[in-house]
Amino acid sequence: MAAPISDRVSSLVSHPWNPAGTGSVDAAALESWVEEGLLRHRKAIEGLLAVEGQRTLENTLRAYDDAVAELGWSDL
């Protein structure tokens, strides 16, 4: 079973109010942070839709949960 999404991306995703780790944020940096999260979400959905063969908990629900989690990161 794959590691929970939080374990896999928490070190990759910065906080939206400090996306560069500098302690400050501007509109462009925040927009970029959101767009990167949405891109990860779209890739997770593409992975879900690309499943071939029989659907299982791992290849369907896990992929769905990952996609929802990615979308949640963009909405902090």
Side-chain angles (χ1 to χ4, degrees), residues 4-15 70 73:
I5 191 73
S6 59
D7 292 349
R8 291 184 277 144
V9 299
S10 62
S11 64
L12 302 175
V13 178
S14 58
H15 192 278
E70 290 292 359
W73 278 108

Side-chain angles (χ1 to χ4, degrees), residues 1-2 8 43-69:
M1 184 180 233
R8 291 184 277 144
K43 286 184 178 182
I45 292 293
E46 288 171 4
L48 173 63
L49 296 175
V51 170
E52 294 181 5
Q54 184 174 347
R55 296 281 184 173
T56 65
L57 290 175
E58 184 63 28
N59 72 17
T60 303
L61 293 179
R62 169 54 53 201
Y64 175 79
D65 286 347
D66 289 351
V68 170

Side-chain angles (χ1 to χ4, degrees), residues 31-53:
E31 181 177 0
S32 175
W33 185 88
V34 170
E35 290 299 323
E36 288 170 7
L38 292 173
L39 178 62
R40 288 190 304 271
H41 169 71
R42 283 190 289 273
K43 286 184 178 182
I45 292 293
E46 288 171 4
L48 173 63
L49 296 175
V51 170
E52 294 181 5

